[in-house]
Amino acid sequence: MKNRPFGNSGIEVSEIGLGCWQLGGTDWGAVDESVAVGILHAAADSGVTFFDTADVYGAGHSENLVGRFLKEQKSSFFVATKLGRGGGMYPDNYTREGVRAAVEASLARLGVERLDLIQLHCVPKAVLQEGSVFAWLEELKQDGKIRLFGASVESMEEAAICLSHGAASLQIIFNIFRQKPVEEILGLAAAQGAGIIVRLPFASGLLSGAVTAGRTFSENDHRYYNRNGECFNVGETFAGLPLETGFELMNDVKALVPQGMTLPEFALRWILDHPAVSTVIPGATKAQQAAGNAKASAMNPLPLDVHTQLRELYYNKVLPHLRGPN
């Protein structure tokens, strides 16, 4: 596993991390606790040092699992969590006291004295623009409750706002089907020394090959209940593509995968070929997936002509179908 600088923080993290949304047991279907623990161990055994969770993933269950895992470890890990979608804050009740309470609750669940990174969790643009929430986070940093603060955002406009308020990192949706960050935010983040965390690298399973025609989803899986953006930003689900369109586009993507490379490795390698990216956080519902995802770090960069063809695919065939902020 290779490491990368996390912005200009002086911290290095594994370039493949682990997204822990699914470990909460909601939104991606049920995940047995023993399986969840196995996923964490498999990721760590593969060199992963960066875990990303949130207070609302399984109403704190994901944070609790990560916290229990940390207590068993001798090695150090960098854990990023989030606030802003729970605790009665969303969408228009953000207060200094509420933010502080959310941080204290995450500290307790993770079993640590200081959070490595707290991220605003897709909070409304108006809240970001007003800016008080960043001042509250700065207070918590000065108090020693958090090491760094950043933001998980839906759009490049929101990303730019957060950078203007001193965010140490941005968590963005970035994958072969959602390439706008290349032209709008990666360069700006690098210039300001902000780390880039990439979520949903597989576009909810499309780019890993795990979602194929005929696949069904449980009612508590966001790929069932949020397919058209019914509950939150549609970009979080299949990158904002109609599922049938996604299936069609996958034929073009698969044709570009080099011999000897799997589709998930290809999707992750494409992201890693952008040097502004600090870490990619694919999720996993099996230990084998977590271990397999880590292998992309050892892969050679993709040929330039493949990058060119994927950019053409994005502009000519993907972009016309994308929904939601991009």
Side-chain angles (χ1 to χ4, degrees):
M1 175 67 70
K2 297 175 184 176
N3 293 329
R4 294 189 179 196
F6 193 68
N8 63 3
S9 67
I11 302 165
E12 288 203 343
V13 297
S14 58
E15 61 182 17
I16 300 293
L18 178 69
C20 299
W21 183 6
Q22 76 288 353
L23 302 189
T26 59
D27 303 313
W28 291 86
V31 176
D32 184 80
E33 187 168 310
S34 63
V35 172
V37 172
I39 290 168
L40 289 166
H41 281 280
D45 291 345
S46 301
V48 169
T49 63
F50 187 98
F51 297 103
D52 177 85
T53 183
D55 57 2
V56 293
Y57 294 167
H61 186 55
S62 177
E63 283 185 329
N64 280 324
L65 284 173
V66 173
R68 282 163 42 194
F69 168 81
L70 293 175
K71 289 180 182 179
E72 301 170 358
Q73 304 304 306
K74 294 181 180 180
S75 301
S76 60
F77 295 86
F78 188 97
V79 178
T81 192
K82 311 181 198 72
L83 63 80
R85 300 292 287 195
M89 285 187 278
Y90 186 84
D92 56 4
N93 189 35
Y94 293 89
T95 64
R96 180 176 179 272
E97 294 74 19
V99 168
R100 184 170 289 269
V103 166
E104 293 287 0
S106 287
L107 286 167
R109 285 189 289 266
L110 288 167
V112 297
E113 295 183 357
R114 181 178 67 167
L115 299 179
D116 293 324
L117 173 67
I118 189 70
Q119 304 160 93
L120 299 176
H121 195 177
C122 300
V123 307
K125 183 175 70 173
V127 175
L128 301 176
Q129 289 174 319
E130 194 276 332
S132 292
V133 67
F134 295 101
W136 302 332
L137 293 174
E138 183 62 41
E139 286 181 11
L140 287 159
K141 182 178 177 182
Q142 296 303 318
D143 290 345
K145 298 291 185 179
I146 61 177
R147 187 174 187 176
L148 300 170
F149 64 83
S152 178
V153 298
E154 299 285 9
S155 72
M156 297 304 95
E157 181 183 6
E158 292 168 352
I161 293 169
C162 293
L163 287 178
S164 73
H165 285 285
S169 66
L170 295 171
Q171 184 176 140
I172 59 174
I173 303 172
F174 183 43
N175 56 55
I176 289 169
F177 288 154
R178 212 162 179 90
Q179 298 188 27
K180 195 172 184 179
V182 172
E183 58 200 32
E184 298 237 348
I185 210 66
L186 294 187
L188 181 60
Q192 295 194 21
I196 292 287
I197 305 164
V198 174
R199 72 181 186 273
L200 295 167
F202 297 141
S204 304
L206 272 175
L207 289 165
S208 71
V211 176
T212 56
R215 170 75 180 271
T216 59
F217 305 98
S218 61
E219 291 186 1
N220 68 338
D221 191 315
H222 76 101
R223 293 170 293 182
Y224 173 84
Y225 68 77
N226 193 60
R227 188 172 295 185
N228 297 302
E230 293 90 340
C231 297
F232 45 82
N233 189 295
V234 70
E236 301 279 355
T237 305
F238 301 127
L241 285 170
L243 186 53
E244 295 73 18
T245 302
F247 289 146
E248 294 173 6
L249 292 168
M250 282 306 302
N251 294 324
D252 296 288
V253 173
K254 290 175 181 178
L256 297 174
V257 179
Q259 187 174 4
M261 182 177 282
T262 67
L263 180 58
E265 290 166 350
F266 179 68
L268 292 171
R269 187 66 251 175
W270 179 84
I271 297 169
L272 292 174
D273 285 352
H274 296 83
V277 170
S278 303
T279 187
V280 189
I281 51 169
T285 55
K286 297 178 181 178
Q288 300 94 313
Q289 287 178 306
N293 291 337
K295 294 179 180 178
S297 177
M299 298 288 169
N300 292 324
L302 298 174
L304 182 58
D305 68 306
V306 172
H307 277 278
T308 300
Q309 291 177 77
L310 287 172
R311 286 297 280 171
E312 292 174 352
L313 174 67
Y314 170 72
Y315 282 114
N316 296 331
K317 294 187 177 182
V318 177
L319 192 55
H321 298 283
L322 285 183
R323 302 171 294 175
N326 189 13

